[in-house]
């Protein structure tokens, strides 16, 4: 997905969206990751599942976009292979997950 396409999510509001699956969307290229993560963080208050499996090219700066996320119903997060080759951004990702909500069951 081209970076320009991710920018279209800027004003998105999905109050009932429960699952976001970005499986391998940023496997080869991190362009647009900041916009995607910002949209997930701000537009999905009912999120229960977030799959970022193998999104290993998300830049460290983009992970910070999850910092203000409030997901009280979040139960499952998949970050497998996101930091396999580079740990940049791992602290920000884990901090966002840790502070997002009390319902987490699977990480």
């Amino acid at each position: 997905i081209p970076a320009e396409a991710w920018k279209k999510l800027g004003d998105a509001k999905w109050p009932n969206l429960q699952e976001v699956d970005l499986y391998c969307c940023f496997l080869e290229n991190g362009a647009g990751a900041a916009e995607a993560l910002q949209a997930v963080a701000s537009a999905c208050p009912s999120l229960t599942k977030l799959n970022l499996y193998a999104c290993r090219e998300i830049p460290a700066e983009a992970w910070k976009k999850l910092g203000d996320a409030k997901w009280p119903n979040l139960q499952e997060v998949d970050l497998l292979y996101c930091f396999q080759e580079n740990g940049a951004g791992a602290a920000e990702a884990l901090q966002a997950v840790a502070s997002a909500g009390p319902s987490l069951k699977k990480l």
Side-chain angles (χ1 to χ4, degrees), residues 12-95:
K13 297 290 179 214
W14 302 301
N16 299 315
L17 188 66
Q18 295 182 347
E19 294 187 18
V20 172
D21 190 343
L22 298 175
Y23 176 97
C24 292
C25 284
F26 302 104
L27 174 67
E28 301 294 330
N29 187 328
E35 290 82 5
L37 295 181
Q38 179 65 51
V40 171
S42 63
C44 307
S46 299
L47 197 66
T48 60
K49 182 178 179 181
L50 176 59
N51 185 1
L52 294 166
Y53 178 94
C55 289
R56 64 182 186 203
E57 293 300 321
I58 293 177
E61 201 60 33
W63 288 107
K64 292 179 182 178
K65 300 293 184 180
L66 294 179
D68 294 330
K70 300 285 188 271
W71 300 311
N73 302 317
L74 187 65
Q75 296 178 14
E76 185 175 334
V77 177
D78 190 344
L79 299 174
L80 188 64
Y81 298 119
C82 287
F83 305 102
Q84 179 181 5
E85 296 175 16
N86 182 348
E92 289 83 357
L94 292 174
Q95 179 62 44

